[in-house]
């Protein structure tokens, strides 16, 4: 398969690895949003988060928990964003599931604008029903 | 403790729950970025992701995997962002760890600008060393 991250997993493309075991890998993004921008992925190819087996997601989130304090301490950051872009419309570029850990700095260039406003009257109950109905399928 | 999410976990503040068990809860954000914006959190109070026990994070990511396809299907979305804002500088508002699931729509108002550029020559190796040294502590 012509997947960039599969090639990194296979060692065909070199990476600055922070963690690796039989199933997952964490490495520095070579085009970082901020210094220390890290990607955590399974070695096996899964296109997105819902396709990825629970056991691998569990290993990935444990890796985030272990690595993130070291990224912050090593680079003098006080905060980070963990982001998964799932699907093209959400900004997913490489169709091989991965978590972004982006340490934040007071002068970094990340700009996130997520306006939040209340639902129209009665709408939240409808939204809940639609989701619960889909869950029951 | 005067924590909004602890009060929701205790049932003192009502919530539109999508999932609940003894340890975690998923509910609709009442100030959604997009329709179906869901929060997943442990009921017990942990300020941030690194403070949260692995077992709870595992349950939370499993809930994301289970809920996200239903949120998308129920609401006709094709993509979502999973986001954890960890620390004030990363946009964390409520200091009780939580995952955001934000379904995306072609006409939504989320704007994310994360410019990415390569490291200066030799810098990525230094960044890796700093993180690995912090990991070894």
């Amino acid at each position: 398969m012509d997947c960039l991250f599969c090639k990194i997993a296979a060692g065909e493309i070199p990476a600055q690895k922070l963690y690796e075991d039989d199933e997952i890998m964490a490495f520095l993004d070579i085009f970082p949003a901020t210094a220390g921008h890290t990607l955590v992925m399974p070695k096996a190819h899964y296109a997105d988060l819902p396709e990825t087996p629970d056991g691998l997601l569990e290993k990935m989130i444990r890796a985030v928990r272990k690595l993130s304090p070291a990224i912050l301490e090593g680079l003098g950051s006080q905060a980070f964003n963990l982001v998964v872009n799932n699907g093209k419309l959400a900004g997913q570029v490489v169709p091989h599931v991965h978590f972004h850990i982006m340490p934040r700095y007071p002068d970094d260039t990340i700009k996130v604008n997520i306006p939040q406003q209340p639902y129209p009257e009665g709408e939240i109950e409808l939204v809940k029903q639609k989701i619960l109905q889909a869950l029951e399928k």
Side-chain angles (χ1 to χ4, degrees), chain A:
Chain A
M1 187 183 301
D2 192 30
C3 168
L4 174 63
F5 286 180
C6 284
K7 289 178 181 170
I8 289 176
E12 295 168 16
I13 294 176
Q16 299 288 343
K17 296 175 195 171
L18 299 178
Y19 177 76
E20 182 178 14
D21 63 26
D22 287 349
E23 293 186 308
I24 70 167
M25 182 187 289
F27 58 101
L28 292 171
D29 193 315
I30 59 169
F31 291 98
T34 62
H37 182 166
T38 297
L39 304 179
V40 181
M41 68 170 186
K43 290 186 173 181
H45 186 85
Y46 296 99
D48 61 18
L49 191 153
E51 283 195 7
T52 307
D54 280 338
L56 285 177
L57 293 174
E58 291 170 5
K59 290 192 79 165
M60 290 164 71
I61 200 71
R62 287 202 302 271
V64 171
R65 185 185 177 219
K66 180 161 186 184
L67 288 170
S68 57
I71 295 168
L72 270 51
E73 182 183 338
L75 300 174
S77 164
Q78 303 294 320
F80 68 90
N81 294 105
L82 172 66
V83 175
V84 183
N85 301 325
N86 203 90
K88 278 190 183 176
L89 192 59
Q92 184 174 7
V93 178
V94 179
H96 179 130
V97 63
H98 55 288
F99 292 180
H100 296 261
I101 305 172
M102 292 177 285
R104 300 298 302 271
Y105 307 92
D107 59 348
D108 69 39
T109 58
I110 294 179
K111 284 199 172 44
V112 177
N113 186 23
I114 303 183
Q116 296 185 235
Q117 49 185 345
Y119 285 97
E121 180 74 18
E123 185 71 15
I124 194 169
E125 291 82 4
L126 294 176
V127 166
K128 179 186 174 186
Q129 285 171 19
K130 288 178 183 174
I131 296 170
L132 291 181
Q133 283 167 8
L135 255 185
E136 285 165 7
K137 283 184 187 172

